[in-house]
Amino acid sequence: MKKNKIQALRGMKDQLPIDITCYQKIERILKQVINSYGFSKIRLPIVEKTSLFKRAIGSVTDVTEKEMYTFQDRNGESITLRPEGTAGCVRAGIEHGILYHQEQRLWYIGPMFRYERPQKGRYRQFYQVGAEVFGLKGPNIDAELILMTARCWKLLGISHYLRLELNSIGSLETRKKYHNILISFLRNHITLLDKDCKDRIYSNPLRILDSKNPHIQELLKDLPPLKDYLDIESSHHFLGLCDQLDIAGIPYHINQRLVRGLDYYNRTVFEWTTNSLGAQGTICSGGRYDDLVEELGGTSTPAVGFAIGLERLALLVRNFNSIPIPNQIIDVYLITKGEKQNNLGLILSEQLRDNIPDLKLIRNSCEGSLKKHFTHAMKLGARFVIIINKDTEGAEELILKDFLNNTQKNIEKTNACSILTTLLRMHLTTHDISI
Ligand code: ATP
Ligand code: MG
């Protein structure tokens, strides 16, 4: 009896080879830009103690209340698959003493996990590229992070479809003061609030500001804006940031309702959003979190960072075909027919790999028809096929076929390796030669 198939968990997506070329291209561009701003890579565990996220993200946020993958390990300790990268990065920074009185620019890439309702652009396992800077308190670095993301969009050809939303949520004291204003305003309109907002009034009233419910947004029009309550240092910081963005020519939209979902932010918050992906339009978000290092047991250290959602970014790049995605998996497909020829093919392909380490070559002995191999080679994007065959006298014969120019020629057997090395090296540097 045929057994039931086991399928992937809901919201967990496989990335097949056909998707990977797009991701790799995007990741290469992001990495190049991030490196060019002097960041170092950090690799962090996927699981952490649950208490880390509760303390960092806040215990009354959507993420900690509803979205965490939390388990008990065999020792009965509560552990959680990381829902985001900042908390782990700060934990590691404190643990290894690399934040104390130092300037650090760190970046990471990897999977995050949130138990959310899966839909386009929203998965239970998704990938983020994140960057965090420690030890710098002025607005220059906030601006630099935004410029760095803007450069990524430019190189990915999607600047046109993205909009930068910016806000300052001030200091902890600002927010405390504003909470009271907000709570009394909401209490006066309690009958007009939806359940979500009612639940949030006392636990996390600031989150009501970015409610997706249009009635709530309409109601909030009469609320005095948070900027009227900003502390003076935060106002200066924000003006400094806006100045820098103006000087760099980066357009932005100040959005008084932007507060962000995680508790650790203060002062600058920002998001890059698009209208082209439906409801899941935020592809990058970030901000300042000057109190988090101390909150997690370190010495008070200013910090700012962002995270990019790679799936949403890839959807956008694909939507607009904004960069060429290579479909070439290999350069050369080598086919041999006969045992002696197979041995020659083995030696030749290893020599070619010695001579040209970047060369992508597949070797196959020809069991079916040559045509079948040609089709396979074309599907893999190969430019060349090398055929090692038996000639009419039974000796080995080498043929090089160029798919691009639709030509083929015989290669002299005794010099085959050096002729092919020269030719293929040229191909790899120019990707545009003929034989
Ligand atoms: P959203 O409002 O869409 O739920 P968020 O505020 O929860 O986003 P952050 O915690 O700021 O998101 O994460 C940074 C980025 O990671 C988001 O801007 C988004 O691009 C991506 N992201 C967040 N959650 C998911 C998810 N479940 N699936 C795919 N991408 C995600
Ligand atoms: Mg979310």
Side-chain angles (χ1 to χ4, degrees), residues 351-365:
Q351 282 173 338
L352 288 174
R353 288 182 180 119
D354 281 342
N355 294 349
I356 320 173
D358 282 344
L359 185 72
K360 291 175 238 140
L361 180 149
I362 278 185
R363 182 172 68 94
N364 251 330
S365 56

Side-chain angles (χ1 to χ4, degrees), residues 114 116 121-123 126 128 260 262 282-285 307-309 311-312:
R114 295 188 194 177
E116 302 198 71
R122 191 177 294 289
Y123 312 104
F126 59 99
Q128 282 185 344
R260 311 273 317 104
L262 316 177
T282 306
I283 65 157
C284 168
S285 37
I308 299 172
E311 285 79 2
R312 293 185 196 175

Side-chain angles (χ1 to χ4, degrees), residues 248-412:
I250 303 286
Y252 53 89
H253 303 266
I254 297 177
N255 175 354
Q256 300 280 338
R257 302 277 160 77
L258 185 64
V259 289
R260 311 273 317 104
L262 316 177
D263 260 8
Y264 51 61
Y265 288 106
N266 69 309
R267 293 200 175 158
T268 312
V269 287
F270 68 91
E271 285 190 354
W272 286 97
T273 60
T274 177
N275 289 328
S276 314
L277 296 181
Q280 275 58 251
T282 306
I283 65 157
C284 168
S285 37
R288 220 163 232 289
Y289 50 94
D290 294 326
D291 302 318
L292 186 61
V293 177
E294 198 172 10
E295 180 59 36
L296 294 182
T299 310
S300 172
T301 306
V304 54
F306 67 76
I308 299 172
L310 281 182
E311 285 79 2
R312 293 185 196 175
L313 187 59
L315 280 171
L316 199 61
V317 164
R318 283 221 188 94
N319 242 4
F320 295 107
N321 277 324
S322 59
I323 47 167
I325 305 295
N327 60 2
Q328 193 204 3
I329 294 167
I330 58 164
D331 304 299
V332 179
Y333 192 104
L334 188 145
I335 318 168
T336 59
K337 215 165 174 134
E339 197 183 319
K340 235 168 108 196
Q341 289 71 11
N342 191 33
N343 296 343
L344 179 62
L346 183 147
I347 291 167
L348 180 65
S349 50
E350 285 305 295
Q351 282 173 338
L352 288 174
R353 288 182 180 119
D354 281 342
N355 294 349
I356 320 173
D358 282 344
L359 185 72
K360 291 175 238 140
L361 180 149
I362 278 185
R363 182 172 68 94
N364 251 330
S365 56
C366 183
E367 273 148 30
S369 71
L370 265 182
K371 197 161 160 248
K372 196 186 90 187
H373 285 279
F374 287 170
T375 313
H376 188 201
M378 273 194 255
K379 215 170 140 193
L380 295 170
R383 160 90 186 261
F384 300 105
V385 174
I386 299 170
I387 307 147
I388 310 184
N389 222 334
K390 231 186 269 179
D391 69 9
T392 42
E393 271 115 58
E396 297 92 37
E397 167 190 71
L398 265 100
I399 300 164
L400 180 67
K401 194 173 164 56
D402 179 345
F403 277 136
L404 186 69
N405 295 302
N406 203 17
T407 53
Q408 83 175 44
K409 71 171 186 182
N410 281 18
I411 305 284
E412 194 201 323

Side-chain angles (χ1 to χ4, degrees), residues 15 105 145 281 343 383 411 426:
Q15 291 181 349
R105 290 169 169 79
L145 283 183
N343 296 343
R383 160 90 186 261
I411 305 284
M426 269 163 66

